[in-house]
Amino acid sequence: MVVIEVGTFLPVLTAISLFISIGSFVHSIFTARAKGNTAKLESLEEEVTKLDRRTLNVEAEVKQLPGKDELNKLELSLAKLEGTVTATGQAVGRVSMTVDRIDNYLRNRGEGA
């Protein structure tokens, strides 16, 4: 039978115990930081989710806006409408002058009779 003395393994056991305690200490440091990081990550995830929603809303609104071709058509339509309004204004001016002449004629005719 082999007899092993405890004194022979004592330095080895002390070293193993030291490594275990250092490992536990390092593990506790990383675990504590991880818990703090978890809360930060959760708040960041909420912010990202909010930004995603806002981005989706903006994209939906932009899709509804008129495009370049539609704005060009609208501009041409407004130019045509401006021309029509100008022509109508001139025609109304001529009609007004004609009505004034008829009114003056009828007034003058009534005074002369």
Side-chain angles (χ1 to χ4, degrees):
M1 185 181 313
V2 178
V3 177
I4 302 174
E5 292 186 25
V6 177
T8 310
F9 287 109
L10 190 59
V12 173
L13 292 175
T14 305
I16 291 174
S17 173
L18 178 65
F19 286 128
I20 290 174
S21 65
I22 290 173
S24 296
F25 176 71
V26 170
H27 179 267
S28 67
I29 289 174
F30 284 123
T31 304
R33 286 185 182 174
K35 288 179 183 176
N37 289 339
T38 302
K40 289 179 184 177
L41 284 175
E42 287 175 357
S43 69
L44 288 175
E45 285 177 357
E46 289 177 23
E47 291 295 320
V48 168
T49 302
K50 289 178 185 177
L51 287 174
D52 282 342
R53 287 185 196 136
R54 289 176 57 193
T55 302
L56 289 174
N57 289 338
V58 169
E59 286 176 350
E61 289 179 19
V62 167
K63 285 181 183 178
Q64 294 178 1
L65 293 175
K68 182 177 115 179
D69 295 335
E70 294 166 330
L71 286 175
N72 191 23
K73 287 179 184 178
L74 182 61
E75 185 178 356
L76 291 173
S77 297
L78 285 174
K80 287 180 184 178
L81 182 62
E82 183 181 2
T84 303
V85 168
T86 301
T88 303
Q90 291 172 353
V92 167
R94 289 191 301 270
V95 169
S96 177
M97 288 173 46
T98 303
V99 168
D100 286 342
R101 282 191 297 231
I102 292 171
D103 185 49
N104 286 337
Y105 173 76
L106 291 175
R107 286 178 192 242
N108 291 337
R109 186 172 169 221
E111 290 177 7

Coordinates of all heavy atoms in Angstrom, one line a residue, residues 33 53 86 95 102:
R33 N -21.7 42.7 -14.0 CA -21.7 43.6 -15.1 C -22.7 43.2 -16.1 O -23.4 44.0 -16.8 CB -20.3 43.6 -15.8 CG -19.3 44.4 -15.1 CD -18.0 44.5 -15.8 NE -17.0 45.2 -15.1 CZ -15.8 45.4 -15.5 NH1 -15.4 44.8 -16.6 NH2 -14.9 46.0 -14.8
R53 N -41.0 51.5 -35.3 CA -42.4 51.9 -35.5 C -42.5 53.3 -36.2 O -43.2 53.5 -37.2 CB -43.1 51.9 -34.2 CG -43.4 50.6 -33.7 CD -44.3 50.7 -32.4 NE -44.2 49.4 -31.7 CZ -44.1 49.3 -30.4 NH1 -44.0 50.4 -29.6 NH2 -44.0 48.1 -29.8
T86 N -57.7 83.3 -66.7 CA -57.3 84.6 -67.3 C -58.3 84.9 -68.5 O -58.8 86.0 -68.6 CB -55.9 84.6 -67.8 OG1 -55.0 84.3 -66.7 CG2 -55.5 85.9 -68.5
V95 N -68.0 91.3 -71.2 CA -69.5 91.2 -70.9 C -69.9 92.4 -70.1 O -70.9 93.0 -70.3 CB -69.8 89.8 -70.3 CG1 -71.2 89.9 -69.7 CG2 -69.6 88.7 -71.3
I102 N -75.3 98.7 -72.6 CA -76.7 98.5 -72.8 C -77.4 99.3 -71.7 O -78.5 99.9 -71.9 CB -77.1 97.0 -72.7 CG1 -76.5 96.2 -73.9 CG2 -78.5 96.7 -72.5 CD1 -76.6 94.7 -73.8

